[in-house]
Amino acid sequence: MDKGKRYVPVATPETKHFWDGASQGRLVVQQCQQCEHTYFPPRPFCCECGSRDVAPRECSGRARLYSYVISHRAAPGFEAPYSIAVVELEEGPRLMTNIVNVPQTPEALVLDMPLRVTFKELSTEITLPLFEPQGAAS
Ligand code: ZN
């Protein structure tokens, strides 16, 4: 990757429902129509039962902080310090994201804290779902 060049994800057919949803302010994962397993990241088949009968499922956007690390090195598009977190959605799947609108400190970032999704537009095609504390003023 070029130094200083910002990494922007690219939508593929498998992830299109996710990026389309995000650009409309919706967090969309997938759910198996056979066993009802809800999962992320996008795959054309269910990771529980192998069925290809899967459909997009819109999530509530509520999540809890599952784990995180704080990076003290600036990265393209991120000022240090910033958190790299795994959140667990109310619907079950976990996803890697950043926690925003809160100090990036261990004191402020408490495991299991309630979070809600917020969206950051990176380009016309790509909007990233980020998470902030429930009750944050944004
Ligand atoms: Zn399944």
Side-chain angles (χ1 to χ4, degrees):
M1 195 189 307
D2 291 82
K3 212 176 176 186
K5 191 173 170 189
R6 186 172 197 164
Y7 172 72
V8 177
V10 178
T12 65
E14 276 183 21
T15 60
K16 192 170 186 305
H17 66 274
F18 178 78
W19 298 117
D20 283 355
S23 66
Q24 297 160 11
R26 297 156 59 230
L27 184 61
V28 182
V29 298
Q30 284 169 300
Q31 184 173 34
C32 176
Q33 303 302 291
Q34 294 300 318
C35 74
E36 300 192 337
H37 180 63
T38 298
Y39 63 92
F40 183 86
R43 275 181 220 110
F45 57 89
C46 172
C47 46
E48 281 290 303
C49 74
S51 170
R52 291 190 168 262
D53 186 7
V54 299
R57 177 181 179 189
E58 183 171 351
C59 293
S60 66
R62 287 188 292 273
R64 288 189 175 271
L65 183 54
Y66 180 75
S67 71
Y68 68 93
V69 293
I70 296 174
S71 174
H72 292 279
R73 277 194 189 179
F78 294 96
E79 278 175 34
Y82 66 95
S83 59
I84 302 165
V86 176
V87 302
E88 186 169 287
L89 303 180
E90 193 171 65
E91 291 79 5
R94 290 176 189 157
L95 61 97
M96 194 171 281
T97 182
N98 304 111
I99 311 299
V100 297
N101 300 328
V102 62
Q104 305 292 296
T105 63
E107 292 72 28
L109 293 166
V110 180
L111 289 183
D112 214 35
M113 69 193 287
L115 303 168
R116 69 177 177 212
V117 73
T118 180
F119 293 92
K120 181 178 179 183
E121 193 178 308
L122 293 188
S123 71
T124 50
E125 284 195 346
I126 298 295
T127 296
L128 276 188
L130 305 176
F131 284 79
E132 64 183 5
Q134 279 182 24
S138 66

